[in-house]
Amino acid sequence: MSDAAFVPGADPVVLVVDDADDDQRLDQCLARRVPELSRARLQGLIRAGHVDVDGATVTEPKRKVKAGAAIAVALPAPEPSNAVAEAIPLEIVYEDPHLLVVNKPAGLVVHPAAGHASGTLVNALLAHCGSELSGIGGVARPGIVHRLDKETSGLLVVAKSDAAHQGLAAQFADHGRTGPLERTYRALAWGAPKPVEGRIDAPIGRAPNHRQRFAIVASGKPAVTHYSTDRRFPASDPIASLVSCRLETGRTHQIRVHLSAKGHPLLGDTLYGAGFRTKANRLPAAVRERIDALSGQALHAAVLGFAHPVTGETLRFESPLPPDLDALLAALDTLPADAPGRSRF
């Protein structure tokens, strides 16, 4: 958490530059001291004239600051959200005045964007708790502090109050290094990773030649995934495996990129596993049908744990595989020991 609480529309919060940030960029200094606000958000506040240094407004994020300087940061009152409340059913597994945890189905987009102006999780949340929304992100809307891909199902925490948004954002920015933040996914992948458990540490950024894809690139953001193989189908020379992945960071498409880079893209993933379509055609009909029935990649956010940002209580939630992934798992379980494995595809 930062040195003081930020409340949209309230008086500015004043931070004094310490020796560690002497001669650092203003945005870098604030990013370290105010982890609940993204660096992009802080840069936007600076450019919009909401940050003063020693009483003078500064609009250049790269302006250097000196130890002892007083930085005043004001969060403007949130703008009304353009999103419209929609009565979309939600599976809420926990709720209190500060936050809620939902079990998101595959196919539900988290936030309105180009091509998805309605029918999103945010639209549903506006209908559910529209009068209790966090505005720290600049717009009066549910505090989305982390996201799941459209076709990824599972657990997602949403802030309802500014205090919850600040605390949750700080935990996600810390990646669980100093707290109980826990994010574990279950995935059905082609083949089986070797070794059976390990740590993938590879930076992720936009793929150079495909704007919808991400890839392991030297200039990407740090990304770390811990994985373990739970089951193999069949046990020897496996066609597929059930893999648990624990995130140490939370980059876009992180698990999909990391596992595909090891040669084990997720079943149903047409973006990163297109090369496995012909291999799927050689599987028994019962398995093919279950893969074809998937709306996207076989990935589920199964475990979510964090410290309650207001009470400090450690909360932990588990979600079983949804019916389509559970049915695929059952079909894979019927594969005979002499089924064609990876090496014989």
Side-chain angles (χ1 to χ4, degrees):
M1 289 289 293
S2 59
D3 309 56
F6 286 81
V7 178
D11 291 338
V13 171
V14 178
L15 308 171
V16 177
V17 180
D18 56 26
D19 291 338
D21 285 322
D22 183 48
D23 207 34
Q24 293 295 309
R25 288 171 51 127
L26 174 59
D27 58 347
Q28 292 175 338
C29 173
L30 288 177
R32 187 179 71 83
R33 297 285 291 276
V34 191
E36 60 266 36
L37 297 180
S38 69
R39 187 168 172 183
R41 173 71 170 137
L42 289 166
Q43 290 173 339
L45 290 172
I46 295 168
R47 293 190 179 101
H50 297 297
V51 177
D52 291 355
V53 178
D54 288 335
T57 300
V58 176
T59 57
E60 180 52 62
K62 65 181 180 181
R63 157 83 176 270
K64 297 292 182 69
V65 293
K66 296 294 184 181
I71 304 175
V73 182
L75 280 184
E79 301 171 2
S81 172
N82 292 325
V84 177
E86 297 180 50
I88 300 170
L90 290 174
E91 183 183 346
I92 298 173
V93 298
Y94 176 86
E95 183 172 16
D96 66 24
H98 295 283
L99 58 86
L100 56 84
V101 177
V102 299
N103 194 23
K104 186 188 88 67
L108 181 64
V109 175
V110 170
H111 195 279
H116 299 286
S118 62
T120 72
L121 177 63
V122 164
N123 297 109
L125 290 167
L126 285 167
H128 176 73
C129 56
S131 62
E132 315 170 65
L133 301 182
S134 166
I136 199 168
V139 179
R141 66 189 181 206
I144 304 297
V145 294
H146 70 125
R147 304 188 186 193
L148 298 177
D149 293 343
K150 175 184 176 183
E151 303 304 347
T152 298
S153 57
L155 298 168
L156 189 84
V157 60
V158 177
K160 292 166 61 178
S161 69
D162 289 336
H165 195 146
Q166 289 176 325
L168 289 169
Q171 290 184 62
F172 278 85
D174 183 60
H175 302 305
R177 286 187 287 263
T178 61
L181 182 68
E182 178 185 0
R183 289 174 294 168
T184 301
Y185 293 68
R186 303 192 84 191
L188 285 165
W190 288 106
K194 292 181 180 180
V196 294
E197 61 181 30
R199 179 177 184 268
I200 305 172
D201 184 351
I204 291 176
R206 288 279 182 186
N209 302 316
H210 195 306
R211 66 180 306 272
Q212 291 183 319
R213 288 172 59 105
F214 288 78
I216 294 174
V217 292
S219 61
K221 295 180 179 179
V224 178
T225 302
H226 301 263
Y227 72 89
S228 60
T229 307
D230 299 329
R231 296 171 65 184
R232 294 151 55 101
F233 310 98
S236 61
D237 198 14
I239 296 169
S241 57
L242 177 64
V243 182
S244 289
C245 296
R246 179 174 62 83
L247 293 184
E248 189 174 312
T249 57
R251 308 304 176 201
T252 302
H253 297 180
Q254 180 171 318
I255 292 172
R256 299 165 66 187
V257 171
H258 274 173
L259 286 184
S260 66
K262 283 184 68 69
H264 306 289
L266 305 188
L267 275 64
D269 192 341
T270 57
L271 187 59
Y272 297 99
F276 282 69
R277 289 175 182 168
T278 57
K279 297 181 180 182
N281 292 335
R282 304 183 189 181
L283 293 173
V287 179
R288 290 201 313 271
E289 290 171 2
R290 292 302 180 184
I291 293 176
D292 291 341
L294 297 178
S295 59
Q297 65 276 355
L299 183 63
H300 179 68
V303 178
L304 177 63
F306 54 91
H308 192 289
V310 177
T311 68
E313 177 187 3
T314 296
L315 302 177
R316 188 178 187 274
F317 305 93
E318 294 190 32
S319 170
L321 290 176
D324 58 343
L325 295 187
D326 199 41
L328 174 54
L329 189 69
L332 289 169
D333 226 3
T334 66
L335 288 173
D338 59 351
R342 291 178 62 241
S343 64
R344 294 192 297 277
F345 266 154

